[in-house]
Amino acid sequence: MPRPLKSGTLAELKAAVGSGAWLDAADDIAPFISDFRRLYRGATPVVLLPRSVDQIARIMQICNREEIAVVPHGGNTGYCGGATPDESGSQIVLSMRRLNRVRQMDAANYSMIIEAGCTLAEAQAAASGADRLFPLSLGSEGSAQIGGNLSTNAGGTAVLRYGMMRDLVLGLEVVLADGRVLAGLKSLRKDNTGYDVKSLFIGAEGTLGVITAASLKLFPKPADTATALVGIASPAQALAILARLRSAAGDQVTAFELIPRLAVELTVKHIAGVANPLDQEASWFLLAELSSPNPRQDLITLLTSELHEAAAAGLLGDALIATSLAQAQAMWKLRESVPEAQRHHGASLKHDVSVPVSSIPRLIEDGSQLVRRLAPEGDLIAYGHLGDGNLHFNVGQKPGADAQVFLTRGPTLEHAIFDLVESLGGSISAEHGIGRLRMAEFARRADPVELAVMRDLKRALDPKGILNPGKVLIQEPV
Ligand code: 2HG
Ligand code: ZN
């Protein structure tokens, strides 16, 4: 069990990073002690800003010896409170933002080695500079950091084609709880030497080690892209259109996002510069994108003819295919601004769930009934990565409804939605992780044997329980 910090240890930790590389004034540490959604507000005696792996190793040696809890902190864009210290005031925050070098770019090997504190946008730009694509793509990519993307196994809008962060990793460098450095930065597609140890740290939210750098997969840059916004009547039509596109274009189908009409209306209302170019009457909208590294693919023609055929089969109402980059960007802005529009609209209850893609219509139909029955002060705003079976099954406060009354519906509604998701063989956290927010539900619903294996791993890698305690796994009484 972690212990409170003694003043001698605090001085030792500050010395480990040197002057100018730690913060302890209330104003300076404020951004590090609450999460992006303001669900939690913790406390910390110090935020350390190391610049090197050696410094992090030294910090972990001290914290392991003194049993001090360490909370690794990236861009603070997480949705589950995974990077926020608890209220005890005894957990130190380890900011990764100064560990932000691109260590190696190997265009011929389609890989790069990059440190944890680089933002996702910086990683994308580095790849682009070498005429390569790093494909992970998220609304928060300007602030989200690679270490956080790895630690939460981030998803986003290109998972359909390229997979989640886990699928993009070739190697990892990790500082363990006792300060040893696991030097696993190989850049190999093939390496069958024993257990896949790196995979343990991906999605572990800093509870098994501190990821300091990664070797990441790169891809050819797209040279031809076709983007469309499509108005449809039902989620079942979305599935039928997705199946047609996949048959016609295979893995050139890069993104397939679902947006309900209410989300479009809220985005047009609250976000400057966003307009809906389509028939206002559609109940649902799709944002579909095809891409290929081959500039002669003529994906616009392919997408146009597929959408024409789908229209002839009665699968869609109105559709618009972007004819310029600006038009495609405007479509993406409409999709990516939905979370912000929801914030402007009022209180919301969020559920980041996944089911097999084939079960999406059932999820929406049965889930809508649950919302009507259990949260009558709210409207369902279910949107997101339909191609991956992942919807943000969010419920927004109805205009004029009492926010407090609405929010009291949260636990009962959440329980019912998670029961529904479970009955469909789904997950209660598709891409946002467990953090602190989903810990109890995760413990209740996970397979007990799987949970026991996770606890064994935690004990083996962090016997003193100092790495991000109070996140992911509920600690067992000692
Ligand atoms: C997205 O897909 C993000 O836009 C955020 O994962 C989802 O706000 C949300 O619930
Ligand atoms: Zn998402």
Side-chain angles (χ1 to χ4, degrees):
M1 269 301 187
R3 301 207 205 123
L5 189 62
K6 293 181 285 201
S7 64
T9 313
L10 186 58
E12 211 181 339
L13 287 169
K14 289 177 175 174
V17 287
S19 62
W22 46 267
L23 308 168
D24 65 357
D27 284 355
D28 295 337
I29 63 175
F32 297 87
I33 57 170
S34 64
D35 63 305
F36 174 74
R37 291 179 62 195
R38 303 276 180 272
L39 297 174
Y40 304 106
R41 193 181 160 76
T44 188
V46 71
V47 176
L48 301 175
L49 300 142
R51 282 189 189 280
S52 72
V53 178
D54 285 351
Q55 288 181 348
I56 296 173
R58 176 82 191 115
I59 291 165
M60 290 314 303
Q61 281 162 10
I62 298 166
C63 289
N64 197 47
R65 189 192 72 212
E66 298 297 325
E67 299 187 25
I68 304 303
V70 179
V71 181
H73 191 94
N76 207 22
T77 57
Y79 268 42
C80 300
T84 307
D86 71 9
E87 295 77 10
S88 68
S90 63
Q91 303 190 328
I92 67 153
V93 172
L94 187 61
S95 166
M96 303 302 287
R97 77 170 184 221
R98 290 189 176 168
L99 201 73
N100 61 355
R101 288 178 311 134
V102 177
R103 289 196 202 161
Q104 186 197 76
M105 181 62 64
D106 188 344
N109 190 51
Y110 282 80
S111 66
M112 66 178 173
I113 295 179
I114 190 158
E115 291 182 339
C118 289
T119 65
L120 175 53
E122 285 163 355
Q124 292 164 343
S128 181
D131 196 30
R132 295 289 180 262
L133 172 76
F134 180 62
L136 197 80
S137 182
L138 318 168
S140 57
E141 61 203 18
S143 354
Q145 293 174 11
I146 289 298
N149 294 155
L150 289 160
S151 296
T152 57
N153 186 26
T157 52
V159 172
L160 183 60
R161 163 71 182 88
Y162 298 101
M164 294 182 69
M165 192 60 168
R166 179 184 300 287
D167 303 300
L168 303 172
V169 179
L170 296 171
L172 284 187
E173 177 186 80
V174 184
V175 178
L176 301 182
D178 59 9
R180 282 179 299 159
V181 179
L182 189 157
L185 284 175
K186 282 189 176 160
S187 299
L188 304 173
R189 256 86 184 168
K190 294 188 132 181
D191 180 11
N192 275 351
T193 51
Y195 302 147
D196 185 9
V197 174
K198 69 176 179 314
S199 71
L200 293 176
F201 301 96
I202 304 168
E205 301 185 44
T207 62
L208 297 181
V210 181
I211 297 174
T212 47
S215 172
L216 299 175
K217 289 183 196 169
L218 302 179
F219 294 81
K221 251 188 190 175
D224 186 11
T225 303
T227 313
L229 192 65
V230 182
I232 54 171
S234 70
Q237 290 187 335
L239 281 195
I241 294 171
L242 176 61
R244 279 168 175 263
L245 288 182
R246 292 187 96 169
S247 299
D251 69 2
Q252 292 175 132
V253 186
T254 313
F256 199 84
E257 298 282 311
L258 182 73
I259 321 170
R261 180 168 154 192
L262 178 56
V264 171
E265 285 169 2
L266 294 181
T267 308
V268 170
K269 178 169 166 201
H270 293 294
I271 311 292
V274 171
N276 173 16
L278 291 185
D279 169 14
Q280 309 294 318
E281 294 310 309
S283 303
W284 298 88
F285 295 84
L286 290 174
L287 177 51
E289 191 159 280
L290 310 185
S291 69
S292 164
N294 180 353
R296 290 173 296 281
Q297 200 76 356
D298 200 3
L299 291 176
I300 290 204
T301 305
L302 177 65
L303 188 55
T304 308
S305 79
E306 286 305 315
L307 291 178
H308 267 130
E309 281 183 27
L315 290 175
L316 59 92
D318 200 5
L320 181 72
I321 296 174
T323 51
S324 66
L325 183 62
Q327 222 174 9
Q329 282 169 344
M331 290 175 182
W332 275 109
K333 181 155 186 190
L334 174 67
R335 159 63 185 91
E336 283 182 339
S337 305
V338 175
E340 194 189 333
Q342 249 206 292
R343 273 197 294 283
H344 288 297
H345 184 57
S348 63
L349 301 167
K350 287 177 182 277
H351 314 91
D352 164 41
V353 299
S354 62
V355 295
V357 179
S358 47
S359 298
I360 288 274
R362 168 96 299 142
L363 172 69
I364 291 176
E365 201 176 307
D366 293 1
S368 306
Q369 283 173 26
L370 292 177
V371 172
R372 278 197 291 274
R373 190 154 54 80
L374 300 174
E377 303 81 10
D379 289 310
L380 178 62
I381 309 177
Y383 66 93
H385 322 295
L386 182 133
D388 313 325
N390 171 201
L391 289 187
H392 300 302
F393 210 85
N394 295 347
V395 182
Q397 175 195 343
K398 273 191 171 48
D402 182 320
Q404 288 319 311
V405 175
F406 168 63
L407 289 173
T408 60
R409 311 290 189 193
T412 313
L413 178 70
E414 177 183 293
H415 201 87
I417 289 174
F418 288 171
D419 280 350
L420 169 62
V421 164
E422 212 177 304
S423 76
L424 295 171
S427 168
I428 63 157
S429 184
E431 63 168 4
H432 293 166
I434 299 295
R436 186 163 160 181
L437 183 66
R438 298 290 178 223
M439 231 177 17
E441 279 297 312
F442 173 53
R444 222 168 61 75
R445 292 172 188 272
D447 172 66
V449 178
E450 196 172 18
L451 212 50
V453 171
M454 289 190 194
R455 290 203 167 111
D456 287 347
L457 289 168
K458 173 74 178 169
R459 260 192 301 273
L461 285 168
D462 181 19
K464 296 184 177 175
I466 58 166
L467 278 168
N468 214 3
K471 314 287 164 46
V472 185
L473 290 178
I474 294 177
Q475 243 140 354
E476 291 168 311
V478 190

